[in-house]
Amino acid sequence: MLPREGSPGAARMFSPPFAGALAGLVALAGVSVLVGVGVTPLALFTGEAGHGLLVLAASRIPRTLALVFAGLAMGVCAALMQMMFRNRFVEPTTAGTAQAATLGLLVATIAAPDWPPLAKMAVATAFALVATLLFLKIIARVAFRGAVLVPLVGLMLGGVIDALSVFIAYRYDLLQALGAWTTGNFSGVLRGRYELLWLTVVLAGIAYATADRFTAAGLGDAFATNLGLDYRRIVAMGLAIVALATAACIATAGTVPFLGLIVANLVALALGDNLRRTLPWIALSGAAFLLACDIVGRLVRYPYEIPVGTVAGVAGSALFLYLLLRRRLRLG
Amino acid sequence: MIKVANVSKSYGTTRVLDDVSLSLPKGGLTALIGPNGAGKSTLLSIMARLLSPDAGTVHVDGLDVFATPGAVLARRLAILKQNNQITPRLTVAELVAFGRFPYSRGRLTREDAERVSDAIAYVDLSAVQDRLIDELSGGQRQRAFIAMVLAQDPACLLLDEPLNNLDMKHAAAIMRLLRRAADDLGKTVVVVIHDINFASCHADRIVAMKEGRLILQEAPAAVMRPEVLRAVYDMDIAVHEIAGTRLAAYYR
C-alpha cells in the first residue's frame, strides 16, 4: 500500500532488488539440482541410456521444488501467525500447530493406513486447526500476556502434544515414522511424493492477495474493525491457511522449527511490517534459507547427508540468538 | 448525527454503562469527560461498534452501527483507540494509506493516493512520510494515526484519549488539529479527554459521565464551574477566567 503508484504491490514486487534476490534463488535451485550422490553434474545431462535425466526428473528436481515450496510456506505461515497473534515469536512450531499436525498424521497412519496422502493430510490439517484454536483460547485466558509468555505457552502445548505422539508411536512401533515428520528431511522426496506441496504455492498466493487484511489485523482488532474488516474472519482465514500449509509440509518432508520465525523477523527488521511489501521477500527468503541449508547438509559429509533440519537448526539458532539479543526488536 | 439510546453494558456484575442516551448534532467538537471508570471509553467503543452493548442502540447518520456492513460504516465513522502496546513497523505513508481501505480494498486509485498525501500534508508530516512510525516522536505518531482516519474521510471521528503521553506543545497541537477538522472539514469530532482545560479551550460542548451514567451535556462555560466540577469529580476545583477562557486549577 504505497500512495504514489497505481498498483503499488505489483510494482514493488518486481523491483530491481527483488528481481536480484529471485535470480539468487534460481541460482541456488540450480546448485541444488546439480549437487548429489551417484551422478556427476555433467552426467545428469549426458549420461547413457537417460539415467542422468531420470535422476534429474525423479529426484533432484522434485527435491529442489519441495525445498522451495516448504521454505516459502514456513516463512509465510510464520508471518501470518505473527500478525494474528501480535507476537513476533509465534509460528507453527511455537503454537502447537506443527506438533498437532504430526499427531494427526500419526493417528491417520494408525487408523487408516490405506488412505491416500491427501486424506491423511486433511486429518493433519484438522488436528492443526484444533490445536491452534486451543492455543488461541489459552492465550485469551492468560491474564499476563507477555511477549515471551505467549510462545512459551505455545511451546508447552506443543510439548504436551509431542508427548502424546511419542507415546502413541511407541505403542504402535512408529517411532521411526514420527522421527521423519518431526525432523525436516528432504532426502526421501521423489516424484509422486511431493506434489501436495504445490498447495502451499496456492496458499501463499491467497495470503499475498489478502496481505493488507493481515497487516490490519496485526494492528489490532479495533484497527481492523475501524476499517470495516471482520477481524474474526481474517483470523479464521489465516488459521486455515497456516494449518493447511503446515500439514502439507509435515506430510511431505517434515518441518523445520524456527525457520519461518527467523525469516519473518529478519525481513521485518529490514523492511517493516507491511505484508503487501514484505510477504514476497519472506517467501523468497524462506525458500532460499531452506535450500541453502539442504545443500550444505548434502555437502558437509559428502557422500553422506545431514538432514536439513539439523543444519537449519544450527544456523537458525545462531540467527535466533542474534534476534533475541538485538535490542531493537520490540517484543510486542 | 450520532444517537445513542438507552445503552447499558456490564462486565460480570459491574455495570459500566447504565442506560446512557446521548444525541449529538452534526459538526462541532464534543469532549467526553469524567473520572476514571466513568465509562467514557466503553461508550466510545460502543458508538464505534467495537463493543456490543447489553441493551440499547446506536445510530450514526441514521445507520444502526451494529446492523450496517462494516465497510459501509467505515466510510461514515472512524475511531482511533489508544494503542500503546504496539507501534507497527509501517511507514507513515503506508499507515495513512490504510485509511483508504474502506474505499479501495488495498488497491489505491489515483484519487486515493491524492487523499493520502493530502491527509499527510494536513497533519504536517509530509517531510517524514517515508519514515517508520516507530521512529517518530509521540506527537508525530499520534498525528500519523489522525492522518489515517482523516484519509478515511468519515463524517464522524471518535478519538479515545488522543492526548495521552503527549507533552503540552504536542497536546495543544493535536487539539488545534481536531478543531480544524471540525471547522474546516465539517467533521463531527468526539474526544475522550482527561484534561478538562483542553475541553474548555477547544470543545463546543462537554459531555460529562460518572459511574456509568451521563450526567450532563452543556457548553464549556456552563460546565467549567466549581459546583458542576465538584459533582463530576468529587473534588473542589477553583475555576479562573483567563483571557475569556475558563480554566480549572485542580493541581492542589
Side-chain angles (χ1 to χ4, degrees):
Chain A
M1 305 228 340
L2 276 173
R4 274 145 298 180
E5 298 116 86
S7 99
R12 271 292 176 130
M13 194 170 164
F14 291 104
S15 62
F18 189 79
L22 204 59
L25 178 68
V26 171
L28 266 178
V31 173
S32 166
V33 165
L34 295 179
V35 166
V37 182
V39 191
T40 61
L42 196 64
L44 278 174
F45 303 97
T46 59
E48 77 282 359
H51 175 63
L53 286 176
L54 180 70
V55 170
L56 211 57
S59 165
R60 298 285 177 78
I61 289 175
R63 178 176 191 162
T64 302
L65 285 177
L67 285 160
V68 169
F69 296 162
L72 76 85
M74 289 175 210
V76 169
C77 284
L80 295 190
M81 288 187 92
Q82 285 173 19
M83 285 295 169
M84 290 186 289
F85 288 90
R86 306 185 71 186
N87 185 297
R88 298 209 176 270
F89 299 116
V90 175
E91 67 133 38
T93 60
T94 61
T97 314
Q99 291 85 351
T102 306
L103 178 63
L105 274 180
L106 185 68
V107 169
T109 303
I110 293 166
D114 304 329
W115 278 11
L118 198 64
K120 285 182 186 159
M121 194 197 87
V123 176
T125 304
F127 273 66
L129 260 182
V130 169
T132 318
L133 284 173
L134 180 66
F135 178 55
L136 204 61
K137 291 266 182 255
I138 296 173
I139 293 301
R141 278 172 176 269
V142 175
F144 172 69
R145 245 172 285 173
V148 184
L149 189 76
V150 171
L152 215 55
V153 169
L155 284 168
M156 285 195 292
L157 177 66
V160 172
I161 299 171
D162 253 350
L164 192 62
S165 296
V166 170
F167 176 73
I168 296 173
Y170 182 74
R171 279 300 181 90
Y172 286 86
D173 205 14
L174 281 169
L175 279 175
Q176 209 166 4
L178 189 66
W181 293 320
T182 45
T183 27
N185 185 355
F186 287 75
S187 58
V189 172
L190 291 172
R191 183 174 54 196
R193 286 211 212 147
Y194 83 102
E195 283 74 3
L196 271 180
L197 280 175
W198 279 100
L199 182 64
T200 63
V201 181
V202 177
L203 293 169
I206 294 172
Y208 180 68
T210 52
D212 291 325
R213 284 151 212 261
F214 289 107
T215 309
L219 290 162
D221 53 347
F223 187 93
T225 308
N226 171 55
L227 295 178
L229 291 165
D230 186 338
Y231 180 76
R232 294 170 63 98
R233 202 192 288 172
I234 298 171
V235 170
M237 184 174 77
L239 291 183
I241 291 176
V242 168
L244 269 169
T246 304
C249 285
I250 291 179
T252 313
T255 188
V256 178
F258 300 110
L259 187 143
L261 187 155
I262 289 160
V263 165
N265 273 297
L266 286 175
V267 173
L269 274 178
L271 295 175
D273 284 332
N274 186 4
L275 283 185
R276 163 87 51 202
R277 187 149 56 92
T278 59
L279 210 53
W281 280 99
I282 290 169
L284 188 146
S285 313
F289 188 30
L290 195 63
L291 257 180
C293 288
D294 192 63
I295 293 169
V296 169
R298 277 186 261 170
L299 291 176
V300 165
R301 288 183 62 218
Y302 189 87
Y304 303 103
E305 275 199 28
I306 299 173
V308 65
T310 309
V311 180
V314 172
S317 310
L319 278 167
F320 190 54
L321 277 177
Y322 166 74
L323 280 177
L324 272 179
L325 298 175
R326 225 188 114 96
R327 298 204 58 190
R328 276 206 38 158
L329 183 76
R330 291 151 316 102
L331 312 168
Chain B
M1 186 66 195
I2 302 179
K3 206 167 171 57
V4 177
N6 309 104
V7 163
S8 293
K9 176 83 183 171
S10 302
Y11 290 115
T13 54
T14 320
R15 207 158 175 81
V16 191
L17 289 179
D18 191 3
D19 196 27
V20 172
S21 295
L22 171 67
S23 187
L24 294 174
K26 184 175 161 44
L29 200 161
T30 303
L32 202 51
I33 67 162
N36 289 335
K40 308 178 295 287
S41 293
T42 307
L43 178 62
L44 204 72
S45 290
I46 289 175
M47 283 159 70
R49 48 99 165 80
L50 300 182
L51 269 180
S52 37
D54 300 334
T57 57
V58 178
H59 287 84
V60 170
D61 240 356
L63 298 174
D64 180 345
V65 298
F66 295 101
T68 308
V72 175
L73 201 62
R75 301 180 190 195
R76 311 275 179 105
L77 169 102
I79 180 161
L80 198 55
K81 292 267 288 181
Q82 212 45 48
N83 53 340
N84 15 26
Q85 321 97 320
I86 294 194
T87 41
R89 287 177 59 81
L90 297 180
T91 66
V92 172
E94 285 171 343
L95 178 77
V96 177
F98 267 104
R100 297 307 294 172
F101 197 88
Y103 301 87
S104 60
R105 319 301 293 170
R107 310 276 166 202
L108 296 192
T109 63
R110 197 158 292 281
E111 193 209 335
D112 292 321
E114 269 169 31
R115 293 207 174 234
V116 169
S117 56
D118 287 351
I120 294 171
Y122 197 77
V123 302
D124 198 20
L125 285 180
S126 299
V128 293
Q129 65 166 347
D130 291 321
R131 293 261 296 278
L132 291 173
I133 304 281
D134 66 348
E135 295 168 357
L136 303 181
S137 72
Q140 288 176 319
R141 197 177 300 164
Q142 191 62 275
R143 264 148 58 206
F145 276 97
I146 290 175
M148 189 201 90
V149 286
L150 287 177
Q152 202 177 328
D153 198 22
C156 292
L157 204 50
L158 313 181
L159 300 102
D160 193 3
E161 299 187 27
L163 308 185
N164 258 11
N165 302 318
L166 296 186
D167 61 27
M168 291 171 285
K169 180 184 159 195
H170 289 106
I174 295 289
M175 287 312 290
R176 286 198 304 273
L177 178 61
L178 296 177
R179 185 69 250 174
R180 277 199 291 144
D183 292 341
D184 306 348
L185 308 176
K187 308 286 182 206
T188 308
V189 183
V190 182
V191 191
V192 171
I193 214 167
H194 270 296
D195 188 335
I196 48 178
N197 289 333
F198 275 120
S200 174
C201 291
H202 296 278
D204 296 307
R205 68 190 75 79
I206 293 179
V207 174
M209 294 184 69
K210 189 181 181 183
E211 291 166 358
R213 291 169 187 274
L214 206 141
I215 56 175
L216 64 89
Q217 180 183 355
E218 297 279 359
V223 179
M224 297 297 285
R225 291 140 61 107
E227 64 274 20
V228 176
L229 294 180
R230 155 130 216 119
V232 177
Y233 290 100
D234 293 325
M235 178 183 176
D236 289 316
I237 298 173
V239 176
H240 306 283
E241 184 159 328
I242 298 170
T245 307
R246 286 169 169 269
L247 296 174
Y250 54 76
Y251 304 101
R252 284 174 184 275

